[in-house]
Amino acid sequence: MEIKVCGGTLKVSGFINNTPCQFVVDTGADVTILSSRVFHKVDSAASVKYMSTDGVIRGLDRQIIPVIGQVALEVTLGETVSTMDVWVAYIQEECIVGADFLKKEGCIIDYPRQTL
């Protein structure tokens, strides 16, 4: 699938439970994180698996990001469809694709061809 490189950031379009979503590919993120805004647009059949008001994710700059919970959702990037646990948090991006998805699906980033 084609990726866009915007200021050094890799972006790809896809879907979360059939809801269109812009993904930021982050090889440094351990987990995949969905913004709370997109989560509220997602099919209501999705139910939060784990909920905690104490949960946080730390960003690269050690910034603390509050977490709403964890939910099993269908992530579609190109022809790849994968059901996986996604963390829902208050982030600016619509979704951050982390190493969990990249490793599970054997993704390779080809910068010269701008493909994932």
Side-chain angles (χ1 to χ4, degrees), residues 32-105:
T32 297
I33 308 166
L34 180 66
S35 79
S36 58
R37 295 180 322 279
V38 175
F39 176 70
H40 292 298
K41 295 178 189 176
V42 170
D43 182 348
S44 61
S47 61
V48 174
K49 202 172 136 176
Y50 171 78
M51 191 74 130
S52 172
T53 54
D54 298 331
V56 295
I57 296 172
R58 289 200 183 267
L60 183 59
D61 60 358
R62 306 298 294 159
Q63 173 190 4
I64 295 175
I65 303 165
V67 170
I68 294 171
Q70 189 179 24
V71 63
L73 296 172
E74 186 178 87
V75 177
T76 305
L77 293 176
E79 295 179 14
T80 302
V81 180
S82 181
T83 299
M84 60 183 304
D85 289 339
V86 174
W87 288 95
V88 180
Y90 298 101
I91 59 173
Q92 289 182 338
E93 299 81 1
E94 290 187 355
C95 189
I96 298 172
V97 175
D100 55 349
F101 178 88
L102 300 173
K103 288 178 185 176
K104 178 181 177 188
E105 299 303 328

Side-chain angles (χ1 to χ4, degrees), residues 15-37:
F15 299 89
I16 294 278
N17 276 26
N18 298 317
T19 301
C21 187
Q22 182 73 30
F23 294 84
V24 172
V25 180
D26 187 348
T27 58
D30 292 332
V31 296
T32 297
I33 308 166
L34 180 66
S35 79
S36 58
R37 295 180 322 279

